[in-house]
Amino acid sequence: MRPVLLAALILTCAPALARAQAGPQPVGLWLTPAGDSQIRISRCAAAYCGTIAKVLAGETKDVHNPDASLRGRSLVGVALTRDMHPAGEGWEGSLYNFRDGKTYSGKLAMKGPNVLELSGCVLGGLICKKQMWTRVD
């Protein structure tokens, strides 16, 4: 009886997992809306992670990091998105905002093959700010 229930559960969940993985994926190099940095998103285990690949304008050091010992490090290579796992029509995880040194709950959602919507939220998702990133490669 248990193998039958397990098979039924897998068949029930499979369409949801397929939807989360179907269509354009966020892997690649993305330009922020201000055009001041490029973020590389890649697979990290079963999730997606994003790191700052290039700073094109503005501050190049992590000066707002809450850990004073990290404020002198280069922003290049800093993890911006972490553990973005499938959720709904996109991915959820955490976002580090190097502009204020805070980490927020966040979401990624593909809005076309070359447009990625990033949203960071506070207060359990009550207040969110969205950005549209464009694919570089």
Side-chain angles (χ1 to χ4, degrees), residues 8-110:
L9 180 62
I10 290 170
L11 290 174
T12 302
C13 294
L17 293 174
R19 275 192 307 276
Q21 297 301 319
Q25 300 295 299
V27 171
L29 190 62
W30 298 89
L31 182 66
T32 58
D36 58 357
S37 53
Q38 293 179 348
I39 313 303
R40 179 161 312 280
I41 297 183
S42 56
R43 280 293 212 171
C44 50
Y48 288 106
C49 297
T51 57
I52 301 171
K54 188 183 280 187
V55 177
L56 303 169
E59 183 59 58
T60 61
K61 301 288 183 188
D62 195 8
V63 297
H64 300 290
N65 195 299
D67 182 342
S69 69
L70 298 176
R71 292 182 186 152
R73 73 177 175 174
S74 171
L75 284 171
V76 174
V78 169
L80 198 67
T81 66
R82 294 186 183 106
D83 192 31
M84 288 290 186
H85 53 276
E89 297 295 318
W91 301 269
E92 291 181 348
S94 63
L95 303 171
Y96 173 64
N97 182 351
F98 62 89
R99 302 264 182 244
D100 64 11
K102 295 180 181 173
T103 300
Y104 300 92
S105 63
K107 295 180 181 181
L108 297 176
M110 295 298 300

Side-chain angles (χ1 to χ4, degrees), residues 111-122:
K111 296 299 181 183
N114 298 312
V115 178
L116 179 65
E117 181 183 78
L118 173 109
S119 58
C121 302
V122 295

